[in-house]
Amino acid sequence: MDSNLIELTSEDGLKNLIEKNKGSVIILDFWATWAQPCSQMNEVFAELAGKNSSVNFVKIEAEKFPELSESFEIEAVPAFIVLKNGKIAERINGANAPELTNAVAKYAKVSTFVTGKPVATSEKKAVDLNTRLKELLNSSPVMAFIKGTPTQPRCGFSRKLIEIFNENQVKFSSFNILADEEVRQGLKEYSNWPTYPQVYINGELVGGLDIIKELVANGEFKGMIPKEKDLNERLKELTTKGNAMIFIKGSPEAPRCGFSKTLVNMLDEKKIKYEYFDILQDEEVRQGLKKFVDWPTYPMVFNKGELVGGLDIIKELDSSGELDTMFALEKSI
C-alpha cells in the first residue's frame, strides 16, 4: 500500500492527519463491504493514490465509523470527500470514476503548489460565489435548493417539500446541493439560513420546510406563487437576457458535458462576455427551447435574441473570423 493511502482505524487518526497536514489536500473514501460499486471504486482510489503522492487518500469503512459518516452527511456509498485546509471543498457521490479522477487532478495541483502567489484572493472568490448564488436564486420564479432531485430526493425533508409543491401544483426549478459543495456551504452564509431545503420566490428567501408547511396551512402559500408565464414568453425573456446568451449543461465554472465545457473555454479565451442558463435545472426550458427555435441539441448560443447555433457553428465562425465581429461589442476588457 502506498504511504499516502491510509486505512482509517480510529476517528482520532483522521483528526491527527488533518492537524499534521494543514494546507494540504486529503481525500476521503467512504465505503462498505456489502456495496458492490465500492469494490471497483476502491481500486480506482488506490490507483489515484499511487499517481498523486502530494495528496493523502483515506479509506473509511462507513459502518465502522457511523458518527464520522454522519458528520460528513454520508447518505450512500461510495462517497468521496475532498478536504482542503481541513474543510470540505468538494463532494463526489456514487461510483463516478471520471468525476473522482478529475477532482483529484484539480486538487493535486493545489496541493503541489501550496506556496507562491494565490490564483485568486479569498475576497474575489467570495464575490464570484455571491454572483453565482444570486444568479441561481433568480433563475426561476420558484427556486428550491434540495438534497437530490425532484424525482430522486435524497432526504425526507426534501421529499416532503416536493410532495407539497406537487400537491399544490407549483411549478418550480431546483438545485441539488449535494452536487456542489461550494454552493451548499456558501448559500447558508449568503441567506443566513443554516439548513436545507431552502425555498426562494422571485429571488427572496421564504424559508425551509417548516415555514412552507405553515404557509400552506394558513392559506398564504398559493398567494405567494408568481403567476405562471406562458412558456414562449419565458423563453423569449431568457434568450434576450444578454446580447450573448448561452444555454449549457451546468455552469461556466462547472460545465456538465464536454461540448458545454469547450464552448465556455472558447468564449472565455475570446474574452466574450455572456449570460448563461443551466438547462439541467429546468426540464421545461430544456425541452421547450428545442421546439421554440427548432434546434435539437445543446449547447445553444444566441446573439441579441437570435439563435446562432451550437458548438460546431461557433467553431466555424471562429475559424472564419466572424465570431469576433459578431460579438465585438461584448468583449470584456
Side-chain angles (χ1 to χ4, degrees):
M1 182 181 291
D2 294 283
S3 59
N4 64 322
L5 179 59
I6 302 159
E7 185 89 39
L8 193 68
T9 56
S10 71
E11 289 192 20
D12 287 340
L14 181 59
K15 292 177 183 177
N16 293 336
L17 183 67
I18 293 173
E19 185 66 27
K20 290 178 182 178
N21 293 273
K22 287 183 178 178
S24 298
V25 173
I26 300 172
I27 301 181
L28 311 180
D29 170 11
F30 286 88
W31 64 285
T33 55
W34 50 264
Q36 184 61 35
C38 290
S39 177
Q40 180 182 357
M41 290 305 295
N42 282 347
E43 292 180 9
V44 173
F45 196 71
E47 184 177 341
L48 291 170
K51 293 179 179 179
N52 298 275
S53 58
S54 64
V55 177
N56 282 304
F57 292 74
V58 183
K59 291 178 62 182
I60 304 172
E61 193 169 347
E63 292 181 345
K64 282 187 178 180
F65 300 96
E67 292 183 4
L68 192 60
S69 298
E70 185 176 351
S71 70
F72 283 102
E73 300 184 30
I74 303 301
E75 298 175 347
V77 291
F80 303 89
I81 305 290
V82 180
L83 297 180
K84 184 182 174 186
N85 298 323
K87 296 183 179 180
I88 298 176
E90 191 164 336
R91 179 185 299 265
I92 301 99
N93 292 309
N96 193 330
E99 188 175 350
L100 176 61
T101 302
N102 289 337
V104 171
K106 177 169 66 174
Y107 289 98
K109 293 178 182 178
V110 173
S111 186
T112 301
F113 301 103
V114 174
T115 59
K117 294 183 179 179
V119 175
T121 64
S122 58
E123 183 179 353
K124 183 177 185 298
K125 286 183 178 179
V127 171
D128 291 342
L129 176 58
N130 286 346
T131 299
R132 186 180 172 210
L133 292 174
K134 188 175 181 180
E135 288 176 349
L136 283 171
L137 302 184
N138 290 279
S139 62
S140 176
V142 180
M143 190 71 189
F145 291 80
I146 61 176
K147 293 183 178 180
T149 65
T151 55
Q152 291 184 313
R154 296 286 296 278
C155 81
F157 300 116
S158 296
R159 182 178 293 107
K160 183 60 180 176
L161 178 67
I162 301 306
E163 289 175 358
I164 291 174
F165 280 173
N166 290 338
E167 288 167 3
N168 288 272
Q169 298 181 323
V170 176
K171 288 204 169 184
F172 66 98
S173 294
S174 67
F175 186 91
N176 177 10
I177 53 103
L178 296 179
D180 193 314
E181 193 64 27
E182 186 179 43
V183 169
R184 181 180 189 172
Q185 300 302 331
L187 188 58
K188 292 179 183 180
E189 296 182 13
Y190 183 89
S191 62
N192 195 26
W193 193 270
T195 59
Y196 290 99
Q198 293 182 17
V199 177
Y200 293 77
I201 294 179
N202 291 329
E204 297 294 327
L205 175 67
V206 177
L209 177 61
D210 289 341
I211 301 294
I212 298 300
K213 283 181 175 179
E214 289 178 14
L215 292 170
V216 170
N218 63 28
E220 292 181 48
F221 186 59
K222 284 192 175 180
M224 297 174 66
I225 303 302
K227 290 183 179 179
E228 186 181 340
K229 291 180 180 178
D230 174 77
L231 177 58
N232 285 351
E233 181 185 351
R234 188 178 172 211
L235 293 173
K236 187 174 180 180
E237 287 182 359
L238 283 172
T239 55
T240 56
K241 185 179 176 182
N243 283 346
M245 180 71 189
I246 64 174
F247 291 79
I248 59 176
K249 293 181 179 180
S251 67
E253 298 82 7
R256 298 284 296 277
C257 82
F259 300 117
S260 295
K261 183 176 182 179
T262 300
L263 174 64
V264 167
N265 287 341
M266 285 183 66
L267 296 179
D268 287 346
E269 287 173 6
K270 292 283 183 179
K271 296 184 178 180
I272 294 172
K273 294 188 293 182
Y274 56 86
E275 300 287 340
Y276 82 94
F277 185 89
D278 177 6
I279 53 100
L280 295 180
Q281 299 300 326
D282 194 316
E283 190 64 22
E284 184 180 44
V285 169
R286 180 179 186 174
Q287 300 303 330
L289 188 59
K290 294 179 183 179
K291 296 179 181 178
F292 186 72
V293 296
D294 194 25
W295 192 270
T297 58
Y298 290 98
M300 293 186 199
V301 179
F302 289 77
N303 180 29
K304 298 177 181 177
E306 296 294 325
L307 176 68
V308 178
L311 179 60
D312 288 342
I313 300 295
I314 297 300
K315 285 182 175 179
E316 289 177 13
L317 292 171
D318 186 32
S319 297
S320 66
E322 295 177 71
L323 187 63
D324 288 320
T325 304
M326 180 177 291
F327 294 107
L329 297 178
E330 293 302 307
K331 291 272 188 173
S332 58
I333 298 173

